[in-house]
């Protein structure tokens, strides 16, 4: 039997995602372009790009507007191409600017840079509906459809057209099914229809929405998908809407963590601005903010009010209230805080205690060492079982350069001692309280570096002279 040959390559046609981001975002009242406003720590547009990437498109093209160079610069490392829309003549006109970058046989998915919570699952479903020869349209039923384009269906429930709020008559205004703006269609059809769209409407714009009526007229099926979760398709125009979506995102990530076995004292008072990986039976108290990439090991407990960024905390460690931890690796069974601060690049071995008002920066502490109160440990390599007394300062900075300090195993530093770097404190040494140590300290001995205490026997307190 002769082999069947097919004109097309196997699998669906390549996908191009077009993201519209040419809006000015005046209502944000911000110097920062709207699509760069952060939601849970990431720019809105970056979130949409990340979601689009899940669909493995051949290309992602972002349509940006006049003055949008800042957007391009901010997202210069993203694997996207850019299309400039010089004048903001409407959503149809915006998509047209991207079409030169779209392959003839591509499928096109239109997304919005200011609709950040759209999910890849919903988009996959929509793309499935659209296939190679139909238009997929994402709609949403809203209690308050004010401002949205309305979906007009016929008696058989088939989508006929989209009418913008400003162009709608009374009957159409009463409809609650709204256009989300998201649609999927073959590039070939979009090209044909967008060439026909005219700005003959209340806003004098080239409406992308007009392609729906054109498809219907050409007997091309329009397949609607009603979004199950309205927050997925909600756009951001002002800071109130941004806060709503932030709350929705917070609720979503909290729920996912709860279901993954993490205890949150109050899911409404927990913010994840990044990704958390975790072991079992992790407990997170109220008002904790996790940023960047955070790992919490088995049975880690995080007290109220902590901020932890880009850090790894191993099993059975407790972080008490109000600690700030940045770019640190904290070993097993450590006790941290309350009120401890880790500036970047510190590493703690197992069993280390860092107590209240202790700042640690770019330092390593070996097993079971302690700095329990009021200390600064900067640029230091601290051995095992060291006790850093209250008020100890490692003076790492001479005003021009930073220097390292090495503290051997089993060292004790007395209260209020200053170790002036660069310096080495030998293993087992004791530094007397109040010492200012500027030379290296020998191992195993007591070093005192302060004025000796003397008592002046015949001293008399000055008395007031009579006039
Ligand atoms: C649009 C839809 C409307 C839908 C609503 C959902 C049209 C004609 N109307 O209305 O049916 O209910 O979104 O929010 O499509 N943009 C550009 N260039 C332009 C115009 C817009 O990039 O020239 C971008 C904007 O940055 C924004 C998006 O497209 O991200 C939507 O534009 P917007 O003006 O907000 O459209 P709506 O009038 O809200
Ligand atoms: Ca809008």
């Amino acid at each position: 039997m002769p082999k069947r040959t097919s004109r097309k390559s196997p699998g669906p046609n390549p996908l191009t995602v077009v993201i519209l981001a040419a809006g000015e975002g005046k209502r944000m009242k911000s110097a920062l372009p709207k699509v760069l406003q952060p939601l849970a720590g990431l720019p809105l547009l970056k979130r949409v790009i990340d979601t689009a990437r899940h669909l493995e498109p051949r290309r992602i093209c972002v349509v940006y507007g006049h003055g949008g160079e800042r957007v391009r610069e901010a997202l210069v490392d993203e694997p996207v191409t850019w299309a400039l829309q010089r004048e903001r003549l409407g959503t149809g006109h915006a998509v047209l600017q991207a079409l030169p970058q779209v392959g003839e046989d591509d499928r096109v998915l239109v997304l919005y840079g200011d609709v950040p919570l759209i999910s890849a699952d919903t988009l996959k479903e929509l793309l499935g509906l659209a296939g190679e020869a139909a238009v997929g349209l994402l709609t949403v039923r809203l209690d308050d459809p004010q401002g949205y384009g309305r979906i007009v269906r016929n008696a058989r429930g088939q989508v006929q057209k989209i009418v913008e709020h400003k162009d709608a008559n009374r009957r159409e205004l009463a409809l609650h099914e709204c256009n989300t703006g998201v649609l999927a269609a073959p590039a070939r059809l979009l090209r044909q229809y967008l060439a026909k769209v005219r700005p003959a409407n209340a806003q004098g714009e080239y409406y992308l929405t007009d392609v729906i009526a054109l498809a219907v007229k050409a007997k091309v099926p329009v397949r609607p998908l009603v979004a199950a979760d309205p927050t997925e398709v909600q756009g951001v125009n002002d800071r109130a809407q941004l806060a709503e979506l932030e709350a929705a995102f917070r609720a979503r990530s909290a729920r996912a963590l709860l279901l993954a076995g993490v205890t949150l004292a109050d899911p409404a008072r927990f913010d994840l601005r990044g990704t958390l990986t975790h072991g079992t039976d992790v407990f997170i108290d109220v008002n904790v903010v996790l940023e960047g990439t955070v790992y919490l090991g088995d049975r880690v407990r995080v007290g109220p009010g902590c901020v932890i960024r880009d850090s790894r905390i191993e099993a059975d460690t407790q972080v008490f209230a109000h600690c700030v931890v940045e770019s640190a690796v904290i070993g097993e069974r450590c006790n941290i805080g309350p009120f401890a601060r880790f500036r970047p690049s510190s590493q703690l071995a197992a069993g280390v205690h860092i107590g209240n008002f202790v700042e640690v920066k770019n330092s390593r502490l070996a097993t079971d060492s302690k700095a329990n109160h009021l200390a600064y440990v900067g640029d230091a390599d601290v051995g095992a079982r060291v006790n850093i007394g209250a008020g100890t300062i490692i003076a790492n900075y001479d005003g021009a350069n930073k220097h390292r300090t090495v503290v051997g195993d089993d060292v004790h530093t007395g209260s209020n001692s200053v170790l002036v770097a660069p310096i080495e404190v030998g293993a087992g040494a004791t530094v007397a309280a109040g010492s200012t140590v500027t030379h290296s300290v020998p191992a195993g001995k007591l070093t005192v570096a302060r004025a000796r205490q003397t008592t002046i026997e015949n001293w008399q307190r000055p008395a007031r002279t009579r006039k």
Side-chain angles (χ1 to χ4, degrees):
M1 226 168 61
K3 243 189 177 174
R4 275 233 229 153
T5 54
S6 143
R7 196 174 55 85
K8 277 185 189 170
S9 57
N13 288 358
L15 172 66
T16 293
V17 178
V18 175
I19 303 177
L20 303 191
E24 290 175 68
K26 280 198 186 122
R27 279 179 281 168
M28 297 300 290
K29 299 192 168 58
S30 173
L32 190 67
K34 175 165 77 172
V35 292
L36 293 184
Q37 299 283 341
L39 184 135
L42 282 185
L44 297 175
L45 177 55
K46 163 84 173 132
R47 290 200 172 274
V48 180
I49 292 171
D50 287 350
T51 305
R53 289 179 69 184
H54 279 291
L55 306 170
E56 295 172 355
R58 163 153 86 179
R59 173 177 294 216
I60 299 173
C61 179
V62 179
V63 179
Y64 71 105
H66 179 71
E69 276 70 27
R70 261 185 89 185
V71 177
R72 275 189 80 153
E73 281 160 25
L75 299 175
V76 69
D77 292 330
E78 296 297 317
V80 301
T81 62
W82 299 85
L84 174 62
Q85 184 189 23
R86 270 173 227 286
E87 281 179 286
R88 222 173 156 277
L89 299 180
T91 48
H93 180 258
V95 173
L96 263 180
Q97 309 312 304
L99 283 187
Q101 301 188 28
V102 177
E104 195 51 46
D105 290 331
D106 283 12
R107 299 168 296 145
V108 176
L109 174 68
V110 179
L111 300 179
Y112 297 83
D114 57 0
V115 181
L117 297 188
I118 189 81
S119 77
D121 284 344
T122 300
L123 296 175
K124 280 177 193 158
E125 198 179 340
L126 187 71
L127 286 165
L129 282 177
E132 319 272 81
V135 178
L137 180 67
L138 189 62
T139 74
V140 62
R141 285 187 217 288
L142 297 176
D143 294 336
D144 177 14
Q146 180 79 18
Y148 285 84
R150 307 298 207 283
I151 308 295
V152 179
R153 298 191 186 227
N154 66 14
R156 282 185 290 165
Q158 294 162 321
V159 172
Q160 298 301 293
K161 60 175 176 176
I162 299 174
V163 181
E164 289 305 294
H165 186 99
K166 286 183 179 149
D167 302 303
N169 61 34
R170 268 185 50 207
R171 253 189 49 220
E172 289 159 345
L173 285 176
L175 297 169
H176 284 259
E177 188 181 8
C178 296
N179 176 31
T180 66
V182 175
L183 62 80
R188 181 177 47 87
L189 297 182
L190 270 185
R191 252 185 256 280
Q192 272 175 35
Y193 302 154
L194 284 176
K196 290 186 194 161
V197 168
R198 292 287 168 267
N201 50 57
Q203 304 184 82
E205 288 185 0
Y206 294 85
Y207 287 168
L208 174 62
T209 46
D210 284 354
V211 306
I212 299 301
L214 289 165
V216 170
K217 200 169 151 202
K219 301 214 160 25
V220 168
V222 174
R223 303 209 172 106
L225 173 66
V226 184
D229 174 4
T231 61
E232 261 196 42
V233 296
Q234 204 171 312
V236 173
N237 294 309
D238 56 36
R239 289 179 199 263
Q241 289 171 334
L242 183 58
E244 275 173 40
L245 288 193
E246 181 88 31
F249 184 87
R250 183 185 301 126
R252 225 192 247 188
S253 49
R255 190 175 159 74
L257 287 174
L258 290 165
L259 295 180
V262 174
T263 300
L264 300 173
D266 180 355
R269 284 182 291 168
F270 165 72
D271 282 82
L272 177 59
R273 300 176 189 153
T275 49
L276 170 64
T277 47
H278 55 84
T280 56
D281 295 308
V282 167
F283 172 82
I284 299 176
D285 215 323
V286 298
N287 296 331
V288 169
V289 178
L290 303 183
E291 299 181 332
T293 307
V294 174
Y295 169 78
L296 302 176
D298 294 345
R299 297 170 298 282
V300 164
R301 296 179 71 84
V302 180
C306 291
V307 178
I308 301 175
R309 177 183 309 136
D310 293 321
S311 294
R312 194 175 167 85
I313 299 180
E314 302 292 349
D316 297 302
T317 284
Q318 300 213 45
V319 182
F320 298 104
H322 300 294
C323 292
V324 177
V325 178
E326 186 177 355
S327 304
V329 176
I330 297 179
E332 296 180 3
R333 288 176 284 103
C334 291
N335 280 356
I336 307 299
F339 303 104
R341 179 175 183 203
F342 288 82
R343 285 165 53 208
S345 301
S346 288
Q347 224 168 313
L348 270 51
V352 170
H353 291 189
I354 299 293
N356 40 248
F357 310 110
V358 174
E359 176 177 334
V360 180
K361 189 215 97 182
N362 189 26
S363 292
R364 285 194 291 268
L365 286 89
T367 324
D368 294 328
S369 283
K370 295 183 172 62
N372 272 328
H373 346 254
L374 300 156
Y376 175 61
V377 181
D379 298 310
D381 293 294
V382 177
R385 298 170 305 279
V386 169
N387 193 352
I388 294 177
T392 298
I393 301 292
I394 296 182
N396 59 326
Y397 185 51
D398 60 15
N401 297 297
K402 306 230 164 91
H403 303 280
R404 280 202 86 78
T405 294
V406 178
V407 178
D409 294 344
D410 301 296
V411 164
H412 289 188
T413 70
S415 299
N416 243 23
S417 46
V418 182
L419 310 181
V420 181
I423 205 173
E424 202 164 319
V425 181
T430 300
V431 175
S435 294
T436 296
V437 177
T438 55
H439 303 287
S440 285
V441 172
K445 297 181 177 156
L446 170 66
T447 295
V448 188
R450 64 174 185 236
R452 189 176 284 273
Q453 179 170 335
T454 55
T455 303
I456 315 248
E457 295 293 344
N458 302 326
W459 183 78
Q460 285 199 337
R461 214 179 261 180
R464 199 184 295 258
T465 47
R466 284 178 195 278
K467 278 184 188 162

